[in-house]
């Protein structure tokens, strides 16, 4: 009796990023993006409670392929004091919590006026924005400290004793 030899097959696994289909802006209806800006900090999620929203609403008609850099430019068009080089824009999505009648906030990226950055080309669809969510932008002028860089926090259980 002859046994068949087993061959080992090596599988190469690559991280595949989903390819975003470009939006045909001539044929696709834009969405209404409700943006709330605040200087030096994000608005509190409590400001969005019980059907309320913060002051300073900016309404932008845009598409899901809009980048954070593009949105930064639109905010700068209507808000002259944000045009200064070195102004930071810290973007966050505000969305309803599915388990309670509150809102949650998730930071999605930072852009800086006059500088290129790693978050500039993030699109609304790539950060899982859903129509109906709000966009909250913390604007930090150049004469203040920039927003702290977010680093993943180590798990509490992994600390050496």
């Amino acid at each position: 009796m002859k046994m068949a030899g087993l061959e080992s097959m090596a599988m190469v696994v690559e991280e595949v990023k989903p390819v975003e289909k470009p939006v045909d802006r001539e044929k696709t209806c834009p969405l209404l993006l409700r943006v709330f800006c605040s200087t030096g900090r994000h608005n509190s999620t409590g400001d969005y409670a019980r059907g309320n929203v913060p002051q300073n609403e900016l309404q932008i008609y845009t598409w899901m392929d809009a980048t954070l850099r593009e949105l930064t430019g639109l905010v700068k068009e209507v808000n002259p004091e944000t045009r200064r080089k070195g102004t930071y824009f810290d973007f966050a999505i505000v969305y309803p919590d599915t388990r309670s009648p509150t809102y949650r906030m998730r930071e999605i990226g930072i852009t800086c006026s006059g500088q290129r950055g790693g978050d500039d080309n993030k699109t609304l669809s790539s950060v899982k924005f859903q129509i109906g969510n709000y966009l909250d932008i913390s604007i930090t002028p150049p004469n203040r400290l920039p927003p702290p860089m977010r680093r993943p926090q180590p798990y509490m259980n992994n600390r050496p004793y």
Side-chain angles (χ1 to χ4, degrees):
M1 182 172 183
K2 190 172 184 180
M3 298 205 50
L6 297 175
E7 293 182 24
S8 65
M9 290 181 54
M11 289 184 62
V12 177
V13 178
E14 293 181 27
E15 182 180 338
V16 178
K17 292 183 179 177
V19 177
E20 285 188 45
K21 295 178 185 173
V23 174
D24 184 344
R25 293 185 174 192
E26 292 293 319
K27 295 181 180 176
T28 304
C29 183
L31 62 100
L32 173 62
L33 181 62
R34 297 180 70 187
V35 180
F36 300 91
C37 299
S38 182
T39 303
R41 62 174 178 75
H42 282 289
N43 292 293
S44 164
T45 53
D47 293 341
Y48 296 92
R50 295 176 295 284
N52 296 320
V53 290
Q55 299 287 322
N56 245 355
E57 180 173 359
L58 173 61
Q59 294 186 348
I60 298 173
Y61 286 95
T62 191
W63 294 266
M64 290 297 283
D65 67 344
T67 63
L68 297 186
R69 171 60 61 195
E70 182 180 349
L71 297 172
T72 298
L74 294 171
V75 171
K76 287 168 34 176
E77 280 181 25
V78 298
N79 197 339
E81 59 269 13
T82 64
R83 296 178 190 164
R84 295 198 346 227
K85 187 175 182 178
T87 300
Y88 283 88
F89 297 79
D90 189 346
F91 291 82
I93 295 174
V94 179
Y95 58 96
D97 187 338
T98 57
R99 293 169 293 204
S100 68
T102 60
Y103 281 83
R104 298 182 60 89
M105 184 177 293
R106 180 171 51 89
E107 294 190 3
I108 57 172
I110 297 173
T111 62
C112 183
S113 193
Q115 297 177 18
R116 293 193 187 277
D119 295 339
D120 288 359
N121 294 321
K122 285 184 178 180
T123 64
L124 292 176
S125 61
S126 73
V127 296
K128 309 290 188 254
F129 178 86
Q130 293 183 2
I131 294 173
N133 292 350
Y134 302 122
L135 196 62
D136 191 281
I137 305 174
S138 168
I139 299 172
T140 306
N143 57 350
R144 294 197 190 169
L145 290 175
M149 297 309 289
R150 296 179 302 278
R151 294 191 179 128
Q153 295 296 319
Y155 290 105
M156 299 300 274
N157 297 340
N158 291 346
R159 290 186 182 173
Y161 291 98

